[in-house]
Amino acid sequence: QQQVKQSPQSLIVQKGGISIINCAYENTAFDYFPWYQQFPGKGPALLIAIRPDVSEKKEGRFTISFNKSAKQFSLHIMDSQPGDSATYFCAASKGGGGNKLTFGTGTQLKVEL
Amino acid sequence: NAGVTQTPKFRILKIGQSMTLQCAQDMNHNYMYWYRQDPGMGLKLIYYSVGAGITDKGEVPNGYNVSRSTTEDFPLRLELAAPSQTSVYFCASSSPGEVNTEAFFGQGTRLTVV
């Protein structure tokens, strides 16, 4: 049972464009929604995270939009750069159980010049 | 500041062999986790621990065992390796709480079972 569904599987964006990755979750007990960035040969690293009491969080060029009623959240990368080329994972967890993260299946982003 | 350190980085095992993947963290985190990453599948939780002496199963525990004798170390044991255990394994750690709940990941161990 896949509790966090992520799309698209891969994405090609031109430099300067907007990259959008979407995730949907099923478990309404989830209360923490991070996005992780992973470069080849490296472990995932936290990019940005949101809790369900806000609908949007922005950090630099990265924004999470959160829709609690639809059980969906998305990552927007503005002014995408070749250095943003990586695999992005959305995830979710619920409080009281540590950070047992449930991950989406990942999106391979390639930003072309 | 080393963070989360995993050893080895690469390993090839024969079917039926056993091995231990090592994981150590120097951030004094109570929570530690083992995930496996397979292409197109994201990361799946194998085992986790909320403190020394306490471990629990994750989503895909079959074929694995863990122990947590210290806060710093969380080794993952593979008994009777099978081709289905070919994967990249990541160890992670975090602190409990409502704020700053970031999980820090090691660089991974790429395991091939032949």
Side-chain angles (χ1 to χ4, degrees), chain B:
Chain B
N1 187 0
V4 179
T5 302
Q6 290 183 238
T7 55
K9 287 186 169 53
F10 303 94
R11 182 74 185 266
I12 298 175
L13 274 183
K14 293 184 178 179
I15 294 172
Q17 287 185 321
S18 61
M19 75 164 294
T20 299
L21 283 66
Q22 302 291 343
C23 175
Q25 53 93 7
D26 61 0
M27 297 172 282
N28 200 32
H29 286 165
N30 287 330
Y31 292 177
M32 294 188 74
Y33 318 83
W34 275 105
Y35 291 89
R36 61 176 286 171
Q37 182 178 21
D38 300 299
M41 300 293 291
L43 288 87
K44 302 287 187 184
L45 182 65
I46 305 171
Y47 271 95
Y48 67 101
S49 168
V50 299
I54 306 170
T55 63
D56 207 345
K57 297 178 180 179
E59 186 180 356
V60 289
N62 291 345
Y64 308 94
N65 278 300
V66 293
S67 59
R68 184 96 181 269
S69 57
T70 67
T71 299
E72 294 77 20
D73 301 299
F74 190 39
L76 177 71
R77 179 80 176 165
L78 279 72
E79 305 281 3
L80 297 174
S84 62
Q85 292 178 306
T86 294
S87 187
V88 182
Y89 292 84
F90 288 100
C91 178
S93 71
S94 68
S95 284
E98 291 298 314
V99 181
N100 193 24
T101 52
E102 176 179 358
F104 293 84
F105 284 79
Q107 295 219 358
T109 295
R110 183 174 294 275
L111 175 68
T112 302
V113 181
V114 296

Side-chain angles (χ1 to χ4, degrees), chain A residues 19-79:
Chain A
S19 304
I20 301 174
I21 305 171
N22 300 300
C23 283
Y25 63 97
E26 299 170 4
N27 190 340
T28 55
F30 287 146
D31 60 2
Y32 175 68
F33 302 89
W35 284 89
Y36 279 80
Q37 180 187 54
Q38 184 181 32
F39 293 104
K42 304 293 185 182
L46 180 67
L47 185 63
I48 187 173
I50 197 169
R51 294 193 181 271
D53 51 345
V54 297
S55 60
E56 185 174 282
K57 183 174 182 180
K58 185 176 181 179
E59 290 184 359
R61 296 184 294 108
F62 302 92
T63 300
I64 299 179
S65 297
F66 185 81
N67 186 329
K68 188 174 181 178
S69 61
K71 294 188 286 186
Q72 295 175 347
F73 58 111
S74 60
L75 175 69
H76 291 64
I77 305 174
M78 310 300 288
D79 187 25

Side-chain angles (χ1 to χ4, degrees), chain A residues 89-109:
Chain A
F89 293 96
C90 62
S93 68
K94 48 187 177 181
N99 274 0
K100 288 188 296 178
L101 293 165
T102 299
F103 282 88
T105 51
T107 297
Q108 276 194 310
L109 172 65

